[in-house]
Amino acid sequence: MPDALDATPYDALLLLSFGGPEGPDDVVPFLENVTRGRGIPKERLKEVGQHYFLFGGVSPINDQNRALLDALRKDFAEHALDLPVYWGNRNWAPYLTDTLREMVADGRRRILVLATSAYASYSGCRQYRENLADALAALEAEGLELPKIDKLRHYFNHPGFVEPMVDGVLRSLADLPEDVRDGAHIAFTTHSIPTAAADTSGPVEAHGEGGAYVEQHLDVAQLIADAVRERTGVDHPWRLVYQSRSGAPHIPWLEPDICDHLEERHAAGAPAVVMVPIGFVSDHMEVLYDLDTEATAKAEELGLPVRRSATVGADPRFAAAIRDLILERAAVELGQEVTPCALGALGASHNLCPIGCCPSRAPRPAAAGADSPYA
């Protein structure tokens, strides 16, 4: 048996995710949760929900989170890390507030949060922190004793996140016909966000064109491209591109879109493209529809061979990376000297989101940061 690992002072891990419908009747209520406060008519939500209805009204994200929970619990058990794992969502059951209430009832008082978003941005980090603050406010109104909550640092450049994606690209390249394999271009994809949100992503000192959001994705893309070159001897051209835009047409969002990029690569004579969704932890709806359905259909229309490489999902190396991040953060909290594990040029991200990091247009309280009202 391995020596027991100690996550003190933490007594629980909370997996915090987006959530998704698990049947046709859930789709519109789920989208109402996602768009609450924007005044979008129900008929419009039914149109938006067609992506989900194509897949039986079921988003794969909840099952993928269950698989990740299983992988984390298995890894913790194998390494004698006694840390219970809970799960809560922003927009669908199990809801975050309900899960936090359960954790408090179970006596959990020092909680670490793992968000299913690896990069800095408002929607990928601060919005989750705002949701945590809302949940804590609800528990406070109920007279419950509030736990202290910390959030694990961004893990975009942790080896346990990067290496499974490298393997995914290698498998996708090997699956291409031999006559187009070496000339294949790599399209690293992530969720498009408004350029204004990208420009203010990360700490204040990182703000600027694209902010930390673009910089972090470019760093990961370079890491993967370099690893592929080292293992194959082929230097594949690559570009960071975007998908899943959902905003008003007059608001600038990050570009180019993956479908536009495929058209451009085909016109330039690229023999094949491998699409690599580095911005996503698992193969949820935006991967299944925007890449496997929409972008793949565009490639077929062009006669351009494409492959889509795998996301990290519940890869055991990712579960091991989370364990590593937990022990790292626990040591930091105990005042111990720590050497964070990170690849690439940017180094390890901050443990505590500083004031001004990924601000929202209408400021709201956010937990687990330097500006948290819940110390």
Side-chain angles (χ1 to χ4, degrees), residues 171-227:
R171 287 192 297 270
S172 293
L173 286 168
D175 192 48
L176 283 168
E178 190 173 357
D179 60 332
V180 300
R181 186 179 304 150
D182 286 353
H185 288 231
I186 301 176
F188 294 103
T189 78
T190 191
H191 205 303
S192 184
I193 61 175
T195 57
D199 294 346
T200 57
S201 58
V204 172
E205 61 269 20
H207 293 180
E209 187 175 357
Y213 185 74
V214 171
E215 182 181 43
Q216 290 170 359
H217 280 86
L218 288 172
D219 198 45
V220 171
Q222 187 68 65
L223 282 167
I224 296 172
D226 288 348

Side-chain angles (χ1 to χ4, degrees), residues 13-17 61-77 83-89 94 99 114 116 313-315 318-319 322:
L13 176 70
L14 169 62
L15 176 66
L16 178 55
S17 193
I61 192 169
N62 283 346
D63 276 347
Q64 288 161 7
N65 280 325
R66 293 182 183 103
L68 179 56
L69 288 167
D70 288 344
L72 290 170
R73 289 165 179 152
K74 181 175 186 290
D75 178 271
F76 293 0
L83 190 70
V85 185
Y86 296 75
W87 170 34
N89 290 323
T99 300
L114 164 65
T116 53
D315 190 290
F318 183 44
I322 301 309

Side-chain angles (χ1 to χ4, degrees), residues 8 58 74 158 172 174 200 240 250 266 275 312 330 337 339 343 355:
T8 302
V58 178
K74 181 175 186 290
H158 194 287
S172 293
T200 57
L240 177 64
H250 68 282
H266 178 256
M275 302 182 292
V312 172
E337 191 170 328
T339 302
L343 301 173
I355 294 172

